Amino acid sequence: MLWVAVSVAALGFLIALEVAARRYGEPGPITDQAREVIFAPKSGTVLYVSMALMTVVLTWRQRFVAVGAAIGIDIVFWLVRWAVDAEMMFGNGALWVTLACAVIAVTRRTGRDRVLLLKGVGLALLLVAGRKTGYTWLLITSKTRPAVLDQYVATADHALGNPSWLVGRIVAATGTVGAHVLEWVYIQLAVAAVVVALYQLRNVAVERRFPGHHLVRTFLVIGLLGPAIYMIFPVVGPIFAYGADGGHWAVAHLWPDTPPPVGTPHSMLFDGITPRNCMPSLHTAWATAIFIHSRKGPLILRLAGAFWLIATLGATLGFGYHYGADIIAGVVFTLTIETALRSLDRGWDRSGIQLVVHGAAVFAGLLASYRYLSVEMAGHPWVFGPLLVLAMTSVIYGYVRTTRLWDRKAASVYLPEPRREPQPEPQPEPA
């Protein structure tokens, strides 16, 4: 019943976004996804990693058949597009195989096998749909929020030492090699998430069930809730508000060489194209989720998770996509969502409720301080800078302490009882 309710809610949400996108003359997520059955996809990589996520419910033989069929279909599409001189891109084969598995589940499977395969297909399609809905959300933010609050966030960022300007100069000094590495990490964030998710879901085919909580759940909820904050707190980022990419809409072309002077901030009009997608930094939120869920993996996975988080932070700041204040908000945002999802899986208790309330209060306090105390924050950086870091650290510390307690309790449940040594039977005393 839960999966049915989630599916119905997701379908209604997609239809609403489709209608909203049509009002602005753009195809919505449903139309955009449907056209990729035949036409060139925007990202073949996402379609293949989504199919890989679906294969966790298949046997190894079925996985090889699925991958082989996807590659074969893509080769046919590639040859046809080459012959008619159409746009070249791969990924249709992966989408066809995913949809074929949905048909097989309905027509050829029964009982638990049908449910498990449909869950795998649903997980893959949710990942693809999440990317499509993201594009639509960004369009909606640019059309419905003409005024942005970048001056407030840039002023508050003085309390943190203007990290975007600092990291931007560092990335520029590394040359094209450093920029290309960070750009690749930034773009392929979904691939890193699927790698961690595949490790977490590696036993699904054997156990015939999904674990109660895994990275994909956190990933999707972050993507669902994040755009709502964009609508409340629209920000375009330093490279647009203070850089050359903003054109004549920018306050001045200062990024990354000269931090903006402290003044009286106010909202400002911006173009109807640039997404208002900075507050909070969802790339930071997703990279934080990858880092958290990689902690229980092997060493190579833990190192990859740490690298992805550090590199993502470098890219978000170094490319001028985010302010330091966005990063702090993104970390708090993720830990609050992760705590809520883990509590939903294991059952709510006092520690979980307290941490979710604390994280939500800190997140709301951050947004309010950026909006209404930015001048004071810039005027007293040695007071407000440590306070911002301390607020984030309090949520991190609460999360680590609470989850360790949960893990110890979970481990104690499965500890085998100590074996009792056989006791010698009492011997009757001689008469």
Side-chain angles (χ1 to χ4, degrees):
M1 292 300 296
L2 177 62
W3 277 86
V4 171
V6 170
S7 300
V8 172
L11 180 60
F13 179 67
L14 290 174
I15 293 174
L17 287 181
E18 182 76 24
V19 173
R22 293 283 181 173
R23 289 183 58 188
Y24 298 109
E26 296 289 339
I30 298 176
T31 303
D32 208 17
Q33 188 58 64
R35 69 178 301 277
E36 291 188 353
V37 175
I38 300 298
F39 298 99
K42 290 183 178 179
S43 175
T45 303
V46 171
L47 293 175
Y48 266 95
V49 297
S50 299
M51 184 192 73
L53 199 60
M54 179 203 66
T55 61
V56 298
V57 304
L58 305 178
T59 64
W60 277 107
R61 179 179 177 277
Q62 292 168 339
R63 291 169 186 171
F64 285 121
V65 171
V67 172
I71 294 174
I73 294 171
D74 263 330
I75 290 175
V76 174
F77 270 95
W78 188 277
L79 292 175
V80 172
R81 287 177 182 140
W82 175 76
V84 300
D85 196 24
E87 180 184 0
M88 305 298 287
M89 178 54 72
F90 63 95
N92 300 86
L95 182 57
W96 276 46
V97 168
T98 302
L99 296 175
C101 286
V103 174
I104 291 172
V106 174
T107 60
R108 304 290 299 275
R109 300 288 178 89
T110 59
R112 293 183 61 186
D113 289 340
R114 172 185 290 176
V115 173
L116 188 67
L117 184 53
L118 285 176
K119 284 183 179 180
V121 172
L123 207 60
L125 293 180
L126 276 176
L127 188 63
V128 175
R131 190 178 182 91
K132 299 300 180 185
T133 56
Y135 293 142
T136 305
W137 263 120
L138 297 183
L139 171 68
I140 293 173
T141 62
S142 64
K143 300 298 183 183
T144 62
R145 293 295 180 267
V148 298
L149 304 177
D150 282 76
Q151 292 188 32
Y152 292 94
V153 184
T155 303
D157 234 33
H158 282 276
L160 298 170
N162 300 296
S164 181
W165 274 257
L166 174 62
V167 180
R169 292 194 294 271
I170 294 174
V171 171
T174 61
T176 56
V177 175
H180 285 323
V181 171
L182 292 180
E183 183 182 19
W184 182 81
V185 169
Y186 190 84
I187 294 174
Q188 301 300 335
L189 186 68
V191 177
V194 169
V195 170
V196 176
L198 287 175
Y199 175 79
Q200 291 182 319
L201 303 176
R202 66 193 182 280
N203 296 324
V204 170
V206 176
E207 298 176 355
R208 311 306 293 166
R209 65 180 181 86
F210 279 85
H213 180 55
H214 49 83
L215 174 60
V216 181
R217 295 179 68 198
T218 307
F219 220 72
L220 292 173
V221 173
I222 288 173
L224 179 64
L225 298 181
I229 312 300
Y230 294 164
M231 302 292 284
I232 298 171
F233 208 108
V235 181
V236 293
I239 196 172
F240 297 104
Y242 293 94
D245 286 22
H248 68 276
W249 296 95
V251 178
H253 294 175
L254 303 175
W255 189 90
D257 301 315
T258 307
V262 177
T264 302
H266 57 272
S267 60
M268 62 183 192
L269 294 177
F270 213 79
D271 63 34
I273 301 173
T274 306
R276 280 65 164 150
N277 62 336
C278 280
M279 182 62 69
S281 168
L282 291 197
H283 262 78
T284 299
W286 284 319
T288 302
I290 291 172
F291 175 80
I292 292 171
H293 283 265
S294 67
R295 293 306 87 198
K296 293 185 179 180
L299 178 61
I300 185 65
L301 197 64
R302 297 197 302 271
L303 292 176
F307 166 76
W308 226 271
L309 176 60
I310 294 171
T312 300
L313 293 177
T316 54
L317 293 171
F319 293 149
Y321 298 149
H322 290 281
Y323 303 91
D326 308 339
I327 305 300
I328 291 178
V331 172
V332 174
F333 186 68
T334 299
L335 295 178
T336 305
I337 290 174
E338 179 70 17
T339 304
L341 291 176
R342 289 195 61 170
S343 297
L344 189 64
D345 174 49
R346 68 182 300 277
W348 289 92
D349 59 9
R350 182 177 180 180
S351 60
I353 294 173
Q354 287 178 337
L355 185 54
V356 170
V357 172
H358 175 64
V362 170
F363 183 75
L366 289 173
L367 296 188
S369 64
Y370 299 156
R371 177 62 177 84
Y372 299 107
L373 296 175
S374 58
V375 176
E376 289 77 6
M377 294 169 71
H380 303 86
W382 292 105
V383 175
F384 285 95
L387 282 177
L388 291 175
V389 176
L390 182 62
M392 178 183 68
T393 305
S394 70
V395 179
I396 296 174
Y397 172 75
Y399 177 82
V400 172
R401 184 186 63 179
T402 302
T403 53
R404 283 181 177 175
L405 177 62
W406 289 346
D407 291 340
R408 284 198 297 268
K409 287 182 178 180
S412 65
V413 172
Y414 298 102
L415 284 178
E417 294 184 0
R419 296 179 58 185
R420 296 182 177 180
E421 296 294 335
Q423 300 294 328
E425 296 183 2
Q427 299 295 327
E429 295 183 1

